[in-house]
Amino acid sequence: MSQLEQFERVYEIMSASFPVTEYRTKSGQEKLLDRSEYRLLTERDEEERIIAFLAVWEFPALRFIEHLAVDPSVRGGGVGNKLVRKCLEEQPVKPTILEVELPEDESSARRISFYERLGFRLNEYSYVQPPLREGGDPLPLKIMSYPQLLTEQEFLACRAILYSEVYRVSES
């Protein structure tokens, strides 16, 4: 499967799994494939069809999981867990962070619990994800970190990397 064919399937799962404010336009998302720090891990079924993906950024100081999504038809079967574990075990082992919605409803609380079972910790620092689409609004989120909570200094360093490298905005 070519990278473009793989991307088409990944974007299909992404758009079925996230609110539109939580992922880029198709062309914006596709442009990330040209970035050396960005890559996709995928899981396939018996027919070699992509059923899940994890989008990850690799930086010298940390690993950032931007998206994890599983095809709705196979959710709950451990595929997401398997992809996250594969990512966490990659060499070199380094601190890993991800963004989660505020724990304000049952589904966001379930997602946080999913990551906590994998060893992530919910940091209490205020964090806002810059808009992923033109004209979009900033999104208040929380940062989860693996294998331990971040100090305030570590959190600020992580946020600076995300803002400058992933979102390409200046901190304000």
Side-chain angles (χ1 to χ4, degrees):
M1 180 180 281
S2 75
Q3 189 172 14
L4 189 57
E5 290 170 320
Q6 178 174 296
F7 171 76
E8 291 292 332
R9 178 65 181 138
V10 163
Y11 199 78
E12 183 182 317
I13 295 171
M14 185 181 289
S15 58
S17 303
F18 293 97
V20 72
T21 56
E22 293 183 22
Y23 63 98
R24 294 166 185 82
T25 62
K26 190 171 185 179
S27 64
Q29 204 68 44
E30 191 173 2
K31 284 179 189 166
L32 296 181
L33 299 174
D34 295 332
R35 302 275 308 274
S36 62
E37 311 92 346
Y38 181 84
R39 64 194 169 87
L40 299 169
L41 299 175
T42 59
E43 193 64 36
R44 298 167 188 270
D45 63 13
E46 309 79 45
E47 289 90 44
E48 288 300 305
R49 180 174 160 88
I50 295 172
I51 56 170
F53 77 92
L54 183 144
V56 63
W57 294 80
E58 290 287 340
F59 302 107
L62 68 97
R63 187 173 281 134
F64 169 55
I65 298 174
E66 185 172 29
H67 291 107
L68 168 67
V70 177
D71 185 284
S73 68
V74 294
R75 283 189 188 145
V79 176
N81 184 308
K82 181 179 176 183
L83 271 175
V84 173
R85 287 188 190 283
K86 185 190 300 186
C87 179
L88 294 175
E89 293 167 1
E90 287 184 337
Q91 298 299 321
V93 173
K94 60 176 95 170
T96 302
I97 62 170
L98 54 84
E99 302 162 331
V100 291
E101 295 167 310
L102 302 176
E104 295 174 335
D105 59 38
E106 188 179 331
S107 65
S108 55
R110 263 197 329 269
R111 271 189 290 281
I112 290 168
S113 293
F114 167 80
Y115 289 115
E116 286 175 334
R117 288 191 300 275
L118 288 163
F120 282 85
R121 308 286 301 275
L122 184 64
N123 292 270
E124 289 305 316
Y125 307 108
S126 294
Y127 174 79
V128 176
Q129 179 192 68
L132 291 175
R133 295 169 182 252
E134 197 171 310
D137 293 322
L139 184 61
L141 298 171
K142 288 289 184 187
I143 294 287
M144 295 190 79
S145 55
Y146 174 91
Q148 60 204 26
L149 287 170
L150 302 172
T151 66
E152 185 173 10
Q153 186 175 352
E154 290 167 333
F155 166 77
L156 293 172
C158 289
R159 185 180 69 185
I161 291 169
L162 295 182
Y163 279 19
S164 67
E165 300 299 322
V166 174
Y167 301 115
R168 303 272 172 118
V169 297
S170 59
E171 290 190 70
S172 46

